[in-house]
C-alpha cells in the first residue's frame, strides 16, 4: 500500500533530514543494524506534515551487496532535530 501511494504521488516525501553523526551502527559479517533519528516532511492528499521519528534499519550482506531487510520507525514528539545531512 505504501509503495502504491508513493508511486502514484498520493504520498510525497518533501524532505528527509538525518544526521550521520547521530547514527548508531552495529554490524556482524552478514548483518548490520542502524539506529537514528529523522525529521520528515511529507504531503498526503494535499496536507503537509512534519514528523520526527526514531528508526531502526536492518541490512543483510547478500553476495557482497548490502540490502535493506527491515525498516521500522516510531514517531517521537518533536524529538531531537537532526542537522541537515552533511555534504559528501
Amino acid at each position: 500500500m505504501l509503495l502504491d501511494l508513493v508511486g502514484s504521488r498520493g504520498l510525497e516525501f518533501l524532505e528527509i533530514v538525518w544526521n550521520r553523526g547521530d547514527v548508531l551502527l552495529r554490524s556482524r559479517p552478514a548483518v548490520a543494524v542502524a539506529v537514528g533519528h529523522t525529521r520528515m516532511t511529507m504531503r498526503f492528499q494535499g496536507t503537509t506534515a512534519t514528523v520526527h521519528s526514531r528508526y531502526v534499519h536492518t541490512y543483510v550482506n547478500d553476495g557482497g551487496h548490502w540490502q535493506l531487510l527491515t525498516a521500522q520507525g516510531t514517531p517521537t514528539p518533536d524529538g531531537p532535530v537532526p542537522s541537515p545531512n552533511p555534504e559528501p
Side-chain angles (χ1 to χ4, degrees), residues 11-87:
L11 173 64
E12 296 177 87
F13 289 90
L14 305 174
E15 180 182 48
I16 300 174
V17 178
W18 58 280
N19 183 337
R20 212 172 270 180
D22 175 54
V23 178
L24 172 64
L25 182 64
R26 293 189 177 149
S27 64
R28 298 293 181 266
V31 177
V33 177
V35 179
H37 293 94
T38 61
R39 183 184 71 222
M40 296 179 285
T41 301
M42 59 198 88
R43 184 175 18 242
F44 178 67
Q45 297 180 339
T47 301
T48 301
T50 297
V51 177
H52 296 260
S53 71
R54 180 110 173 128
Y55 66 85
V56 178
H57 292 175
T58 303
Y59 297 87
V60 292
N61 192 324
D62 184 17
H65 298 91
W66 288 99
Q67 296 198 355
L68 181 64
L69 178 67
T70 63
Q72 186 272 331
T74 302
T76 59
D78 296 339
V81 177
S83 59
N85 303 338
E87 293 295 320

